[in-house]
């Protein structure tokens, strides 16, 4: 076989020091009810496809995996495409199982083959979780505990790793794909998967109980505003207002807490940017998924082992101003790059967008001011606020409610400065009215009755004033229960 070491069979390549397998290895099938009584209610295992694997299973798998590594030629295997490499590994593992007289059922053997292929070519035990499109977050707390978020709720899974070293190897495999590293000298790392999913890793000695891996997954099918309407995150009229805001080149800040859907909403808004506009994105880990053809994607870089070579978000924002952008999109504003983004917004780059962590539109403005101040800019507060008012047109607030649902709770205009106070007005808000028998919150999206928002003239310039007026009128009628 192509991937096998020349002149070596699987048996010949198996180290004699490996323990002899038992005549039969029992791999118990998963029972939906098994383990529930042994687990606290708040950590109830997810009834997923993963089996509860025994120690015998892991011993057998380790033995076969060791024999496989000795029998296979990794240099030749790397030249194969993923599907051919998987078939090659399956053939060799099947031969090892037969020659070592390990008795497995067809289902058990298939499961073992898939696990070993995932270990060699993929992300090991994470593969079944990554394949599920209903999972929003994967949180691995050491080798023996993995949690997922489904439907806004965190649940314990039955996924486990052989040991912390296997988990660390998978972490290193993830970060090496984007030219980064994680080890004792650099124990914190942000990275991304090939599909754009965001990854954060914190390794020992900072993580006491083993490596901690957090993956924010993105759906394979990109969400749209129409789908957000279907999910109840926004009403049809509110979605129309957001479409117009994106189309008429308003400067937008999307505010929200962790997991509230800021990046998803930013992706949705960018769909309404014209195809002929030059867009430059700046991110810590590239995760935006823009649909236009003229997009330049920039990503920060951490320092190297000598402590040099770091490229910060502010460096990217300052540089992209020299790249003839029409719109600048900052994945997340965390620090002094806020100053450069505001400068870009009010100097000819209308329609720029960014996200930041804040719990309300008013708090978002305060955070921008504090981020600029912490960056070492010794400007008077009034000067900063004048800059904010002259730069930001709209703040969109995304919130994850206590029942796990995500809602767009405010579409707020920045009106101006009155004295030293920034004046805002809500165009669109979400009111929580109560909850149903299942604990799901019931609410209503409504317009606040503003006849003409501040960007009305901008909407007229782009021919959108009639659509804007219709959306505001329709959403003020009390419709939009969700």
């Amino acid at each position: 076989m192509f991937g096998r070491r020349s002149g070596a069979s699987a048996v010949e390549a198996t180290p004699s020091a490996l323990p002899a397998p038992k005549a039969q290895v029992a791999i118990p099938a998963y029972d939906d009810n098994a383990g529930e009584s042994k687990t606290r209610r708040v950590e109830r295992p997810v009834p997923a496809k993963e089996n509860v694997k025994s120690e015998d299973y892991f011993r057998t798998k380790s033995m076969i995996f060791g024999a496989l590594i000795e029998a296979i030629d990794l240099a030749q295997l790397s030249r194969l495409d993923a599907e051919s490499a998987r078939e090659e590994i399956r053939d060799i593992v099947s031969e090892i199982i037969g020659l070592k007289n390990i008795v497995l059922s067809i289902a058990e053997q298939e499961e073992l083959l898939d696990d070993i292929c995932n270990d060699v070519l993929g992300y090991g035990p994470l593969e079944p979780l990554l394949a599920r499109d209903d999972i929003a977050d994967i949180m691995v707390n050491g080798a023996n505990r993995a949690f997922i978020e489904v439907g806004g709720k965190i649940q314990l899974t039955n996924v486990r790793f052989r040991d912390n070293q296997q988990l660390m190897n998978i972490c290193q495999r993830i970060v090496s794909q984007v030219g980064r590293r994680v080890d004792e000298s650099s124990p914190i790392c942000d990275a991304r998967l090939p599909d754009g999913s965001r990854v954060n890793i914190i390794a020992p000695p900072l993580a006491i109980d083993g490596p901690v891996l957090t993956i924010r997954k993105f759906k394979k099918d990109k969400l749209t505003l129409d789908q957000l309407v279907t999910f109840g995150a926004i009403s049809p009229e509110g979605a129309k207002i957001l479409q117009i805001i994106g189309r008429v080149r308003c400067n937008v800040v999307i505010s929200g807490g962790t997991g509230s859907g800021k990046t998803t909403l930013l992706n949705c808004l960018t769909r309404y940017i014209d195809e002929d506009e030059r867009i430059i994105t700046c991110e810590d880990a590239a995760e935006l998924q823009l649909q236009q053809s003229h997009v330049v994607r920039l990503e920060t870089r951490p320092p190297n082992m000598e402590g040099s070579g770091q490229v910060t978000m502010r460096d990217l924002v300052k540089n992209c101003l020299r790249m003839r952008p029409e719109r600048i999109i900052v994945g997340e504003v965390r620090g002094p790059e806020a100053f450069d983004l505001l400068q870009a917004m009010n100097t000819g780059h209308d329609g720029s967008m960014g996200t930041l962590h804040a719990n309300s539109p008013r708090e978002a403005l305060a955070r921008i001011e504090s981020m600029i101040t912490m960056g070492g800019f010794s400007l008077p507060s009034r000067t900063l606020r004048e800059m904010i008012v002259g730069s930001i047109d709209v703040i969109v607030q995304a919130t994850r409610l206590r029942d796990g649902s995500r809602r767009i709770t405010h579409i707020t205009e920045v009106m101006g400065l009155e004295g030293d106070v920034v004046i805002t007005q809500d165009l669109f808000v979400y009111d929580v009215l109560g909850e149903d028998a299942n604990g799901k919150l019931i609410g209503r999206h409504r317009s606040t009755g503003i006849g003409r928002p501040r960007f009305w003239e901008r909407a007229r310039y782009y021919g959108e004033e009639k659509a804007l007026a219709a959306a505001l009128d329709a959403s003020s009628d009390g419709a939009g229960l969700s």
Side-chain angles (χ1 to χ4, degrees):
M1 293 184 185
F2 187 84
R4 186 171 300 173
R5 293 182 190 273
S6 58
S9 71
V11 172
E12 292 169 342
T14 303
S16 58
L18 288 172
K22 298 179 180 179
Q24 184 167 356
V25 179
I27 302 179
Y30 181 73
D31 181 356
D32 285 342
N33 298 316
E36 289 192 7
S37 60
K38 300 178 183 178
T39 309
R40 289 181 299 166
R41 184 173 59 86
V42 294
E43 297 181 345
R44 181 176 177 179
V46 182
K49 296 180 181 179
E50 300 87 29
N51 289 345
V52 182
K53 299 179 176 65
S54 67
E55 292 300 326
D56 282 343
Y57 175 89
F58 285 102
R59 282 195 296 270
T60 303
K61 178 182 167 185
S62 296
M63 178 188 63
I64 295 173
F65 187 82
L68 172 69
I69 295 303
E70 290 294 326
I72 205 165
D73 189 332
L74 294 177
Q76 290 187 349
L77 190 71
S78 64
R79 300 172 194 160
L80 298 174
D81 61 81
E83 191 58 37
S84 299
R86 186 171 287 266
E87 287 302 316
E88 179 75 9
I89 291 171
R90 290 174 66 90
D91 289 343
I92 299 175
V93 171
S94 297
E95 185 178 336
I96 293 172
I97 291 173
L99 293 172
K100 284 188 160 295
N101 296 320
I102 300 174
V103 181
L104 298 172
S105 69
I106 294 176
E108 291 165 350
Q109 182 167 329
E110 281 298 313
E111 183 179 11
L112 186 63
L113 287 168
D114 286 340
D115 277 0
I116 292 177
C117 287
N118 290 338
D119 285 347
V120 176
L121 301 174
Y123 303 122
L126 292 177
E127 287 288 343
L129 301 181
L130 292 171
R132 288 177 54 183
D133 208 32
D134 60 327
I135 295 176
D137 286 90
I138 301 171
M139 296 149 280
V140 181
N141 304 344
N144 296 319
R145 299 179 74 76
F147 296 82
I148 58 174
E149 181 190 316
V150 179
K153 296 295 185 180
I154 294 177
Q155 303 168 327
L156 177 67
T157 72
N158 296 309
V159 171
R160 57 170 288 193
F161 296 79
R162 183 174 63 252
D163 50 32
N164 282 331
Q165 187 56 51
Q166 184 195 15
L167 174 56
M168 194 66 193
N169 291 341
I170 290 171
C171 292
Q172 290 170 338
R173 184 179 301 173
I174 291 172
V175 302
S176 65
Q177 293 176 336
V178 291
R180 302 192 177 187
R181 64 189 180 89
V182 58
D183 50 37
E184 286 190 5
S185 62
S186 179
I188 299 177
C189 184
D190 287 315
R192 66 181 187 276
L193 296 178
D195 65 355
S197 296
R198 186 172 65 213
V199 178
N200 177 267
I201 299 165
I202 182 163
L206 301 188
I208 297 172
D209 299 320
V212 177
L213 170 67
T214 309
I215 300 175
R216 170 66 53 81
K217 282 189 61 192
F218 287 154
K219 289 183 177 294
K220 295 180 178 66
D221 299 323
K222 314 298 186 294
L223 284 177
T224 64
L225 278 179
D226 290 338
Q227 289 173 304
L228 295 186
V229 170
T230 303
F231 299 151
I234 188 70
S235 70
E237 297 79 18
K240 185 63 178 178
I241 293 171
L242 290 178
Q243 287 181 26
I244 295 169
I245 286 171
R247 192 172 289 134
V248 305
R249 298 178 68 96
C250 288
N251 293 324
V252 180
V253 169
I254 298 175
S255 164
T258 299
S260 59
K262 300 186 297 298
T263 304
T264 297
L265 182 54
L266 183 57
N267 273 322
C268 291
L269 286 182
T270 58
R271 295 177 68 93
Y272 302 99
I273 298 175
D274 289 340
E275 185 68 27
D276 60 351
E277 294 187 49
R278 178 173 169 85
I279 308 165
I280 300 182
T281 68
C282 304
E283 303 174 80
D284 278 321
E287 52 186 327
L288 291 173
Q289 301 163 319
L290 273 66
Q291 309 299 309
Q292 291 77 7
S293 58
H294 198 167
V295 178
V296 178
R297 304 170 72 206
L298 306 179
E299 186 177 58
T300 61
R301 187 177 71 182
N304 58 23
M305 295 185 70
E306 290 76 31
S308 61
Q310 181 178 22
V311 179
T312 65
M313 181 68 77
R314 191 173 181 212
D315 295 330
L316 292 184
V317 176
K318 287 166 65 177
N319 185 77
C320 78
L321 294 174
R322 305 183 183 99
M323 298 172 66
R324 207 272 183 196
E326 290 185 289
R327 299 212 198 200
I328 298 171
I329 298 177
V330 178
E332 185 167 335
V333 181
R334 292 189 177 96
E337 66 271 9
F339 179 82
D340 300 284
L341 180 60
L342 292 183
Q343 290 279 70
M345 284 179 167
N346 63 15
T347 54
H349 302 95
D350 293 338
S352 296
M353 303 178 186
T355 73
L356 58 82
H357 281 265
N359 296 319
S360 68
R362 173 66 60 181
E363 187 181 320
L365 295 173
R367 281 216 65 213
I368 292 173
E369 188 175 339
S370 65
M371 285 188 289
I372 294 174
T373 304
M374 287 187 294
F377 298 97
S378 55
L379 297 173
S381 294
R382 182 175 178 83
T383 303
L384 287 179
R385 290 169 189 169
E386 286 175 347
M387 185 184 302
I388 290 171
V389 167
S391 304
I392 299 173
D393 297 313
V394 176
I395 299 172
V396 182
Q397 181 71 35
T399 303
R400 187 171 73 166
L401 304 179
R402 60 182 171 84
D403 64 349
S405 61
R406 294 169 173 84
R407 297 287 184 267
I408 297 169
T409 56
H410 294 79
I411 302 176
T412 301
E413 275 196 298
V414 180
M415 299 298 295
L417 205 59
E418 194 170 286
D420 286 338
V421 179
V422 178
I423 304 302
T424 62
Q425 74 175 8
D426 294 332
L427 292 179
F428 206 79
V429 296
Y430 179 76
D431 299 323
V432 177
L433 304 178
E435 62 180 81
D436 61 17
N438 298 319
K440 284 289 186 182
L441 294 178
I442 301 172
R444 178 185 65 176
H445 288 98
R446 63 175 177 86
S447 167
T448 56
I450 302 298
R452 288 194 174 188
R454 187 185 177 200
F455 60 89
W456 180 269
E457 290 302 321
R458 188 188 293 267
R460 172 177 290 175
Y461 176 77
Y462 284 91
E464 296 283 353
E465 79 277 10
K466 290 183 181 179
L468 179 59
L472 290 170
D473 290 343
S475 58
S476 62
D477 296 335
L481 282 174
S482 62

